[in-house]
Amino acid sequence: MTVVLATLLIIAAVLYMMSGPRLITPMTIVSALGGLDPYNFDHRILETIRLPRLLAAMTTGACLGLSGLLLQGLLRNPLGEPHILGLNAGATLAVILATALPLGIPLDGIARPMIAACGGGLVFLATIVFASAGKTGMTLLKVTFCGIAFSALASALSSAILILDDDTLDKVRLWMVGDLSAARLDTLGASLGLLGLALGAAFYVSTCLNALALGDDVATSLGVSVRKVRFIGIVSAALFSGIAVAIAGPIGFVGLIVPNLVRRFAPDYRASVPLSALCGAVLLVLADLAARLIMLPHEIPTGLATAFIGAPVFIILVAKAIR
């Protein structure tokens, strides 16, 4: 499975670099990899436009796939996904607030993904607290509906700020709908340290998720510290979501589709982590490729392309959960 996904990612990456308003041949791509010619127009397109966007799509897709895998494993909820459970909306609200308020914080470096991760984590914490209230405790449908409610609230607050602040609206207009066209290498580079931290935490948590899937009592009897694993896993999921939102804005449904697909082929969570990263990268690269090509010479936001695929999947999964 790993070899298959890696091969698909390479094929998707080559197609991505070739395709666009100007077709670039595979030989030109190979020659650019051997050494960039600053006077070659195709090489300049690859260097300044397509390669940064490809790297952003791969990183964002991997982060969303891993965030969804962790959320579904920690909550034992197949509907767990950063877009549905409020992480994306919370991260978006935090970045918009930091942009609108005169805090004096530069958002070009590590501050942007950190602020996004904190915002997503706080909204998700509120989701968990409210979903755990009542005699029945936290159930699959309660956490899903609470996530949708808090996501809607955070989105409404974001919209209110943008309506009142035209300058902030101009800065985040495209980013708000989830778009990779404005992805920046400085944000991507600044996120690498956080990405490494989140990956380390994800691999640590994956060794315990198999036991956690059997229930909290069974996991505790097997020597797993349930609270510790959940805390580390949620922090990791928030970091992945924050990095994705910082790079590309709130892109939905990748974190829903990827874990449900990967878990069919790799029930062991230790194998699911690298597979989810690869599968998420492949899915978002193909979705962004479709967003670029479907209405040439115009583009549609990447978030719309993923929504067209993800919304029907979400409806099917909800129908299965209710039955």
Side-chain angles (χ1 to χ4, degrees):
M1 185 67 177
T2 304
V3 175
V4 172
L5 286 173
T7 304
L8 284 175
L9 183 58
I10 293 170
I11 294 171
V14 172
L15 290 174
Y16 193 96
M17 298 286 277
M18 289 174 55
S19 305
R22 182 182 178 90
L23 184 65
I24 297 177
T25 64
M27 291 302 297
T28 304
I29 296 172
V30 172
S31 68
L33 291 174
L36 289 168
D37 180 359
Y39 301 103
N40 187 312
F41 186 60
D42 287 341
H43 285 200
R44 294 296 302 274
I45 291 175
L46 292 172
E47 179 189 12
T48 60
I49 299 175
R50 295 189 187 173
L51 180 59
R53 187 163 174 171
L54 172 64
L55 294 175
M58 292 168 63
T59 305
T60 302
C63 285
L64 291 173
L66 288 167
S67 184
L69 177 73
L70 290 174
L71 291 173
Q72 291 183 17
L74 292 167
L75 301 176
R76 296 193 290 274
N77 181 353
L79 302 178
E81 196 258 350
H83 196 68
I84 296 167
L85 296 184
L87 275 84
N88 280 3
T92 302
L93 176 60
V95 172
I96 288 174
L97 277 171
T99 305
L101 297 177
L103 300 177
I105 301 174
L107 295 180
D108 294 335
I110 197 172
R112 188 183 182 104
M114 279 296 295
I115 288 170
C118 290
L122 287 173
V123 172
F124 182 61
L125 178 63
T127 298
I128 295 298
V129 169
F130 275 81
S132 302
K135 295 180 179 179
T136 57
M138 187 172 64
T139 64
L140 184 151
L141 291 181
K142 279 176 68 177
V143 72
T144 302
F145 291 143
C146 284
I148 291 171
F150 276 102
S151 183
L153 175 61
S155 297
L157 291 173
S158 297
S159 298
I161 294 169
L162 295 177
I163 289 170
L164 297 172
D165 189 343
D166 291 337
D167 290 338
T168 303
L169 177 61
D170 289 338
K171 293 176 183 176
V172 301
R173 189 191 304 272
L174 271 178
W175 175 84
M176 269 287 294
V177 292
D179 189 64
L180 286 159
S181 62
R184 299 171 56 172
L185 282 179
D186 59 348
T187 303
L188 187 61
S191 302
L192 291 179
L194 290 177
L195 182 58
L197 181 64
L199 275 172
F203 277 108
Y204 169 77
V205 169
S206 69
T207 61
C208 306
L209 284 179
N210 292 323
L212 203 62
L214 302 174
D216 290 0
D217 293 337
V218 175
T220 302
S221 69
L222 293 173
V224 174
S225 177
V226 174
R227 287 187 178 181
K228 178 182 176 182
V229 169
R230 281 217 168 96
F231 175 76
I232 295 174
I234 288 171
V235 169
S236 179
L239 283 174
F240 282 130
S241 178
I243 292 167
V245 170
I247 294 171
I251 293 178
F253 298 110
V254 175
L256 176 71
I257 297 170
V258 168
N260 280 287
L261 182 62
V262 167
R263 293 283 293 155
R264 292 178 180 271
F265 299 96
D268 190 327
Y269 277 98
R270 289 169 294 184
S272 296
V273 169
L275 290 178
S276 293
L278 284 170
C279 188
V282 171
L283 180 60
L284 196 57
V285 167
L286 292 176
D288 192 46
L289 181 61
R292 288 170 51 211
L293 299 180
I294 198 168
M295 293 183 66
L296 271 177
H298 305 289
E299 295 183 6
I300 64 172
T302 316
L304 291 182
T306 60
F308 284 131
I309 302 169
V313 174
F314 177 65
I315 294 170
I316 292 169
L317 291 173
V318 169
K320 287 183 177 180
I322 293 175
R323 280 192 302 189

